[in-house]
Amino acid sequence: MSTSYHSFAQVYDKFMDNIPYEDWGHYLYGLFQKYSIKEGTLIELGCGTGTLSLIMAQQGYKIIGIDNSVEMLTIAAAKTAQQSNITLLCQNMQELELGNTYDGFYCLCDSLNYLLSEEDVLETFKRIKHHLKREGVFIFDLKTPYFYETVLGDQIFCDHQPDCSYTWENSYFKEDRINQYELTFFAKKSDSELFERFTEIHHQRAFYISEIIDLLSEAGLEYITAYDAFTDSPPQTDSERIYIIARNGE
């Protein structure tokens, strides 16, 4: 799995302030309701700074948020401290060990794209299968090959705010379907007028739906359907993000 979100964690929420998390949470909640997971405990894989965990907990679910970045979890812990039905754990998805079974799993914000091999995706699916109750539901999203190749491509993005700024140099390697983000940040130190520079390199992989369906089946999970993100329509050739619904139907 690509290692990232160390120094970036301290400015993550500042630069993600354009993401409509409330709308995303409402969509996710609707999917769990639609597929009969109306209450119980949900596992969030790649919970980051805990924004979606908080939204889903406020809908009445118990949430166990899992991430492999201590820095992101530290921020999540502060953000969710007043919410008694949230637990946070530091683990890798493909090494998941929870000691129990649960009603549902979700993994959003293209967290699964950070798994760079089919072997890691398969191991993650097997771990989810092991910890998912019978008829439990797994919901996850993926950025598509179309998005990486056509929307991101080899572009440079910048964002500047009063106390921080970044430059994002993007490269997409079509043959391997690997997308590389080289992020350079300048963040104001809390105790001075000086800015600190730091760089992180992130990698993600694009997967085809057919590959994911095969991996779900190999892991013993039942593929239910896929949606063009935030709709109830099937994916299109120009879908940028898709949602996939699977179930432990053994």
Side-chain angles (χ1 to χ4, degrees):
M1 183 174 182
S2 181
T3 302
S4 52
Y5 295 107
H6 298 298
S7 298
F8 185 21
Q10 63 182 289
V11 295
Y12 181 84
D13 283 341
K14 290 181 183 293
F15 290 118
M16 297 297 111
D17 61 356
N18 62 324
I19 293 180
Y21 282 112
E22 290 289 342
D23 293 340
W24 287 21
H26 179 74
Y27 181 71
L28 177 63
Y29 174 77
L31 289 176
F32 274 118
Q33 293 292 301
K34 178 176 181 178
Y35 290 100
S36 300
I37 308 300
K38 299 182 182 296
E39 59 184 7
T41 301
L42 304 179
I43 310 299
E44 179 178 358
L45 300 179
C47 68
T49 62
T51 302
L52 275 173
S53 294
L54 188 58
I55 291 170
M56 294 302 287
Q58 289 169 345
Q59 296 295 327
Y61 293 104
K62 293 181 180 179
I63 303 296
I64 299 176
I66 295 174
D67 206 280
N68 71 344
S69 167
V70 172
E71 293 83 357
M72 297 287 269
L73 287 171
T74 300
I75 296 170
K79 186 184 295 183
T80 63
Q82 302 304 311
Q83 197 74 36
S84 62
N85 54 341
I86 296 177
T87 301
L88 301 173
L89 298 175
C90 187
Q91 292 190 25
N92 287 326
M93 287 187 274
Q94 63 271 39
E95 298 171 351
L96 196 64
E97 191 57 60
L98 299 174
N100 209 337
T101 57
Y102 299 91
D103 302 282
F105 277 72
Y106 63 96
C107 184
L108 303 185
C109 304
D110 43 274
S111 293
L112 271 173
N113 289 111
Y114 277 98
L115 301 178
L116 303 183
S117 70
E118 291 189 4
E119 290 76 16
D120 277 347
V121 174
L122 177 59
E123 189 57 37
T124 297
F125 288 171
K126 286 180 177 179
R127 288 286 165 179
I128 292 168
K129 169 70 163 61
H130 180 70
H131 293 292
L132 192 58
K133 288 182 179 179
R134 179 176 171 82
E135 299 303 317
V137 170
F138 173 33
I139 299 173
F140 59 101
D141 73 0
L142 290 165
K143 285 178 179 172
T144 64
Y146 171 85
F147 176 80
Y148 288 117
E149 182 177 353
T150 306
V151 178
L152 283 184
D154 296 321
Q155 299 195 63
I156 297 176
F157 306 92
C158 300
D159 190 2
H160 300 287
Q161 300 189 23
D163 56 354
C164 53
S165 64
Y166 80 82
T167 301
W168 165 355
E169 298 180 60
N170 197 81
S171 302
Y172 182 59
F173 303 97
K174 183 178 178 180
E175 183 175 344
D176 298 319
R177 285 183 273 142
I178 296 294
N179 194 79
Q180 176 176 290
Y181 311 89
E182 184 169 346
L183 305 167
T184 301
F185 296 89
F186 295 87
K188 189 176 182 180
K189 294 185 176 181
S190 58
D191 57 351
S192 75
E193 293 299 312
L194 298 177
F195 283 73
E196 180 181 13
R197 179 183 183 273
F198 51 90
T199 299
E200 288 192 7
I201 297 177
H202 297 204
H203 294 94
Q204 293 184 332
R205 179 178 172 182
F207 292 94
Y208 296 118
I209 295 178
S210 58
E211 293 174 321
I212 294 298
I213 292 173
D214 287 345
L215 291 169
L216 286 168
S217 177
E218 188 173 349
L221 291 165
E222 176 190 355
Y223 167 77
I224 300 175
T225 193
Y227 297 113
D228 188 13
F230 317 119
T231 76
D232 57 2
S233 302
Q236 308 297 314
T237 56
D238 60 351
S239 292
E240 298 180 10
R241 183 187 299 273
I242 61 171
Y243 271 64
I244 293 177
I245 318 296
R247 176 169 49 208
N248 183 3
E250 65 176 16

